[in-house]
Amino acid sequence: MSLVYLATPYSHNDALIREHRFRVVNRVAADLMRRGVHVYSPISHTHPIAEAGDLPKGWEFWEQYDRSVLSVCVRMIVLKQDGWEESRGVTEEIRIARDIGLPIHYMDP
C-alpha cells in the first residue's frame, strides 16, 4: 500500500472557516479514495479529535504527529484551497516533504 499525504490549510481564528476547510478537504479525500488512492488527510483525520478533545489547532501541537505520518508516505498532494499559500502548516509540511524527498503534486479544489 502506498500512502499519500493530503496537505491543506486549516488553522484560522474563525471556527466557521476551519469547519469549511474541513468539509472541503473531506470531499477531496473521498474523491481520491473513490479513485483508489490511499490518502491520509491530517485535517480529515484529526479535526474531529481536536474538537472533541479541545486540542490546540496550530502547527506547534501537530508538527511531530504530521512528521511521523509523512515519514511513511510516498508522495504529497497539496490542495490549493483558499489560504494554502499563507498557511504555516502547509508551508512546513511542504518543507518536510522536500527534506525527505517526497514528490509533491498540487491540486485545485
Side-chain angles (χ1 to χ4, degrees), residues 7 39 44 52 55 95 104:
V39 66
S44 299
L55 296 175
R95 184 184 58 74
I104 303 170

PDB file of all heavy atoms in Angstrom, residues 7 39 44 52 55 95 104:
ATOM      1  N   ALA A   7      -2.176  17.610   2.027  1.00  0.00           N
ATOM      2  CA  ALA A   7      -1.966  18.833   2.808  1.00  0.00           C
ATOM      3  C   ALA A   7      -2.959  19.906   2.384  1.00  0.00           C
ATOM      4  O   ALA A   7      -3.217  20.089   1.192  1.00  0.00           O
ATOM      5  CB  ALA A   7      -0.544  19.349   2.599  1.00  0.00           C
ATOM      6  N   VAL A  39      -5.254   7.676   0.889  1.00  0.00           N
ATOM      7  CA  VAL A  39      -4.927   9.033   1.281  1.00  0.00           C
ATOM      8  C   VAL A  39      -5.047   9.213   2.794  1.00  0.00           C
ATOM      9  O   VAL A  39      -5.939   8.645   3.423  1.00  0.00           O
ATOM     10  CB  VAL A  39      -5.822  10.046   0.532  1.00  0.00           C
ATOM     11  CG1 VAL A  39      -7.265   9.919   0.924  1.00  0.00           C
ATOM     12  CG2 VAL A  39      -5.357  11.468   0.732  1.00  0.00           C
ATOM     13  N   SER A  44      -8.859  15.871   7.873  1.00  0.00           N
ATOM     14  CA  SER A  44      -9.989  14.940   7.948  1.00  0.00           C
ATOM     15  C   SER A  44      -9.859  13.982   9.126  1.00  0.00           C
ATOM     16  O   SER A  44     -10.842  13.670   9.787  1.00  0.00           O
ATOM     17  CB  SER A  44     -10.086  14.106   6.663  1.00  0.00           C
ATOM     18  OG  SER A  44     -10.288  14.930   5.548  1.00  0.00           O
ATOM     19  N   ALA A  52     -13.300  17.365  19.719  1.00  0.00           N
ATOM     20  CA  ALA A  52     -13.849  16.599  20.847  1.00  0.00           C
ATOM     21  C   ALA A  52     -12.967  16.704  22.086  1.00  0.00           C
ATOM     22  O   ALA A  52     -13.468  16.727  23.215  1.00  0.00           O
ATOM     23  CB  ALA A  52     -14.019  15.132  20.454  1.00  0.00           C
ATOM     24  N   LEU A  55      -8.259  20.105  21.735  1.00  0.00           N
ATOM     25  CA  LEU A  55      -6.818  20.148  21.494  1.00  0.00           C
ATOM     26  C   LEU A  55      -6.444  21.426  20.759  1.00  0.00           C
ATOM     27  O   LEU A  55      -7.281  22.020  20.072  1.00  0.00           O
ATOM     28  CB  LEU A  55      -6.395  18.936  20.653  1.00  0.00           C
ATOM     29  CG  LEU A  55      -6.586  17.569  21.304  1.00  0.00           C
ATOM     30  CD1 LEU A  55      -6.254  16.463  20.313  1.00  0.00           C
ATOM     31  CD2 LEU A  55      -5.753  17.441  22.559  1.00  0.00           C
ATOM     32  N   ARG A  95       7.937  21.738   3.293  1.00  0.00           N
ATOM     33  CA  ARG A  95       9.368  21.729   3.619  1.00  0.00           C
ATOM     34  C   ARG A  95       9.819  20.346   4.070  1.00  0.00           C
ATOM     35  O   ARG A  95      10.848  19.828   3.619  1.00  0.00           O
ATOM     36  CB  ARG A  95       9.685  22.764   4.702  1.00  0.00           C
ATOM     37  CG  ARG A  95      11.178  22.878   5.017  1.00  0.00           C
ATOM     38  CD  ARG A  95      11.441  23.839   6.168  1.00  0.00           C
ATOM     39  NE  ARG A  95      10.758  23.456   7.395  1.00  0.00           N
ATOM     40  CZ  ARG A  95      11.117  22.444   8.195  1.00  0.00           C
ATOM     41  NH1 ARG A  95      12.148  21.685   7.888  1.00  0.00           N
ATOM     42  NH2 ARG A  95      10.449  22.201   9.298  1.00  0.00           N
ATOM     43  N   ILE A 104       5.883  16.104  -4.726  1.00  0.00           N
ATOM     44  CA  ILE A 104       4.787  16.967  -4.318  1.00  0.00           C
ATOM     45  C   ILE A 104       3.966  17.344  -5.547  1.00  0.00           C
ATOM     46  O   ILE A 104       4.524  17.811  -6.544  1.00  0.00           O
ATOM     47  CB  ILE A 104       5.302  18.237  -3.610  1.00  0.00           C
ATOM     48  CG1 ILE A 104       6.151  17.873  -2.399  1.00  0.00           C
ATOM     49  CG2 ILE A 104       4.142  19.145  -3.223  1.00  0.00           C
ATOM     50  CD1 ILE A 104       6.903  19.034  -1.788  1.00  0.00           C
TER      51      ILE A 104
END
